[in-house]
């Protein structure tokens, strides 16, 4: 069977995840395809995850860290240029998950690292996890992708993936933390290029064939309309946030002017229902808050903007509205 080898020169995660979708949905399934890539600093969440539960959204925004949602399941992971990511695509009838793991293990062996399969999804060296995987299947093709920790910034794992516990009752998958290690701990000379070369070599050896390495860049995006369509989806707020499973956010506080007990029901990242219990004397304030918050995005910038408009329209309530705006958006911060 013929082989195809693709390697991304782009570190934008939306491009690389779009490329995965393009590979999965468009490329000839009657071949074994290997795609190698890496991302700038990014938190990648699974298809069924809640970014507000998994990530420190505000810190990511301040540090210009990407948020990406992949098509496959699984938990949240942090990517930076110290991660090497791999994707295998095979015809469904000739798909062999163990073969893919064997290729990666053989590649690491070439670099003097003895790795083993741990459970169904992970690889480890000794008792330390160095790789995690996720999978996707269609009628005629199967897809396996994973990440290898080469020289990732482990401190950032905690900075962006351990949010404070919001009062959210969320559906969806929550991430499980594991003991992890970088491959440089076992071979100080390893890097993205040497690892990629070893994986390509192991891939060709396993399948008994060769193929040229195709470099993917922004010019590829321009030439492939379907790839550009996938890119726009990956970059879109409605995909990254709007695909969040339904959840509720309940917060309560006391202001000088009264208690606010706020319940937000959020579906597809839009506030669908607002219930406010309060002993505030001004009933109009409570009704205005409910009307303003209902139907807008669960996004602190939009909430700030809408409540600022409300404060301008009702100058006599501006102080109370500003109190609520600052409190609510601070409670949304990770």
């Amino acid at each position: 069977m013929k082989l195809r080898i693709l390697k991304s020169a782009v570190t934008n995660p939306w491009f690389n995840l779009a490329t995965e979708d393009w590979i999965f949905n468009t490329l000839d399934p009657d071949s074994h395809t290997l795609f190698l890539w890496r991302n700038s600093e990014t938190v990648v969440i699974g298809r069924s995850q809640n970014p507000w539960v998994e990530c420190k959204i505000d810190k990511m925004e301040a540090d210009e860290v990407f948020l990406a949602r992949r098509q496959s399941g699984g938990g949240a992971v942090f990517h930076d240029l110290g991660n090497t990511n791999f994707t295998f695509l095979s015809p469904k009838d000739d798909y062999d998950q163990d073969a893919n793991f064997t290729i990666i293990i053989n590649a690491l062996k070439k670099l003097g690292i003895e790795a083993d399969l741990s459970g169904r999804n992970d690889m480890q060296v000794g008792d330390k996890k160095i790789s995690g995987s996720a999978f996707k299947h269609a009628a005629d093709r199967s897809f396996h992708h994973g990440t290898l920790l080469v020289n990732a910034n482990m401190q950032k794992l905690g900075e962006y993936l351990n949010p404070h516990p919001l009062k959210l009752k969320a559906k969806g998958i929550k991430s499980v933390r594991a003991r992890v290690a970088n491959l440089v701990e076992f071979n100080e000379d390893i890097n993205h290029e040497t690892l990629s070369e070893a994986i390509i070599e192991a891939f060709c050896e396993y399948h008994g064939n060769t193929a040229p390495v195709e470099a993917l860049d922004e010019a590829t995006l321009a030439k492939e309309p379907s790839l550009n369509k996938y890119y726009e989806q990956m970059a879109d707020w409605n995909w990254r946030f709007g695909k969040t499973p339904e959840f509720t956010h309940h917060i309560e506080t006391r202001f000088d002017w009264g208690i606010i007990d706020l319940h937000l029901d959020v579906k597809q990242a839009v506030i669908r229902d607002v219930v406010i219990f309060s002993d505030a004397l001004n009933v109009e304030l409570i009704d205005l808050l409910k009307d303003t918050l209902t139907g807008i995005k669960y996004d602190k910038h939009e909430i700030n903007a809408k409540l600022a408009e409300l404060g301008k329209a009702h100058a006599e309530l501006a102080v109370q509205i500003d109190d609520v705006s600052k409190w609510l958006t601070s409670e949304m911060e990770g």
Side-chain angles (χ1 to χ4, degrees):
M1 186 174 288
K2 63 184 178 180
L3 305 183
R4 191 163 186 189
I5 302 168
L6 308 170
K7 189 177 177 190
S8 177
V10 181
T11 59
N12 179 313
W14 303 332
F15 174 88
N16 288 326
L17 288 168
T19 300
E20 280 201 313
D21 273 5
W22 173 66
I23 290 170
F24 185 71
N25 292 301
T26 309
L27 292 196
D28 179 7
D30 293 324
S31 63
H32 291 297
T33 300
L34 169 67
F35 173 44
L36 295 171
W37 46 290
R38 60 179 178 161
N39 292 330
S40 298
E41 291 190 343
T42 306
V43 172
V44 185
I45 59 174
R47 186 184 180 99
S48 300
Q49 289 199 292
N50 183 325
W52 292 281
V53 170
E54 295 295 332
C55 317
K56 295 184 177 179
I57 300 292
D58 275 54
K59 181 158 180 56
M60 288 168 58
E61 192 174 284
D63 294 349
E64 298 184 334
V65 173
F66 287 95
L67 173 71
R69 183 189 295 276
R70 61 181 178 271
Q71 290 277 10
S72 59
V77 292
F78 176 73
H79 286 186
D80 62 13
L81 295 179
N83 288 74
T84 293
N85 303 302
F86 58 87
T87 304
F88 295 101
L89 176 77
S90 296
K92 192 160 190 180
D93 291 342
D94 203 25
Y95 174 73
D96 184 347
Q97 193 167 294
D98 290 337
N100 299 334
F101 283 119
T102 298
I103 289 166
I104 300 298
I105 289 168
N106 288 347
L108 292 173
K109 200 170 288 185
K110 291 175 183 292
L111 298 166
I113 299 173
E114 294 291 332
D116 299 300
L117 186 58
S118 171
R120 180 175 171 271
N121 298 353
D122 302 336
M123 284 175 278
Q124 61 185 37
V125 177
D127 63 348
K128 298 287 185 68
K129 176 179 171 179
I130 51 91
S131 176
S133 290
F135 316 95
K136 187 178 174 184
H137 304 281
D140 63 347
R141 62 194 74 194
S142 292
F143 170 97
H144 170 186
H145 66 178
T147 185
L148 287 154
L149 294 168
V150 181
N151 193 16
N153 186 328
M154 296 299 189
Q155 182 182 344
K156 296 285 181 75
L157 290 168
E159 286 185 16
Y160 302 121
L161 287 184
N162 290 323
H164 70 71
L166 294 180
K167 295 173 184 174
L168 296 173
K169 293 181 181 176
K171 298 177 183 177
I173 307 298
K174 296 189 82 172
S175 295
V176 177
R177 313 297 175 213
R179 294 179 66 192
V180 295
N182 276 314
L183 291 170
V184 290
E185 293 180 30
F186 312 106
N187 176 351
E188 62 184 15
D189 296 322
I190 196 171
N191 57 43
H192 175 67
E193 294 305 324
T194 59
L195 180 55
S196 295
E197 288 170 11
I199 294 171
I200 291 168
E201 188 178 328
F203 177 70
C204 293
E205 285 175 357
Y206 186 90
H207 291 293
N209 202 349
T210 59
V213 178
E214 302 172 48
L216 301 180
D217 54 21
E218 283 88 349
T220 315
L221 187 70
K223 289 187 290 189
E224 295 286 349
S226 57
L227 175 54
N228 189 61
K229 185 183 93 174
Y230 292 129
Y231 174 82
E232 289 175 354
Q233 176 189 335
M234 287 293 157
D236 187 46
W237 189 95
N238 287 320
W239 169 253
R240 294 180 296 124
F241 291 94
K243 291 298 180 182
T244 298
E246 189 174 347
F247 66 96
T248 61
H249 190 176
H250 171 216
I251 49 177
E252 184 178 355
T253 195
R254 179 188 296 275
F255 297 107
D256 292 342
W257 45 267
I259 292 171
I260 291 284
D261 181 359
L262 176 64
H263 301 251
L264 304 177
D265 286 340
V266 185
K267 188 174 183 180
Q268 295 181 324
V270 172
I271 301 169
R272 304 293 185 183
D273 192 30
V274 181
V275 176
I276 302 175
F277 301 104
S278 178
D279 63 357
L281 295 175
N282 194 320
V283 177
E284 183 192 12
L285 169 66
I286 305 307
D287 290 339
L288 287 168
L289 289 171
K290 287 170 63 176
D291 291 345
T292 301
L293 292 173
T294 301
I296 67 172
K297 289 179 180 176
Y298 183 84
D299 173 78
K300 70 168 201 163
H301 302 293
E302 181 150 343
I303 289 170
N304 264 327
K306 294 293 185 184
L307 291 180
E309 288 176 16
L310 182 66
K312 286 178 183 175
H314 297 271
E316 74 283 3
L317 298 173
V319 171
Q320 292 97 319
I321 292 168
D322 187 55
D323 284 345
V324 172
S325 180
K326 288 175 179 174
W327 165 63
L328 173 55
T329 54
S330 71
E331 288 288 335
M332 290 171 64
E333 293 175 5

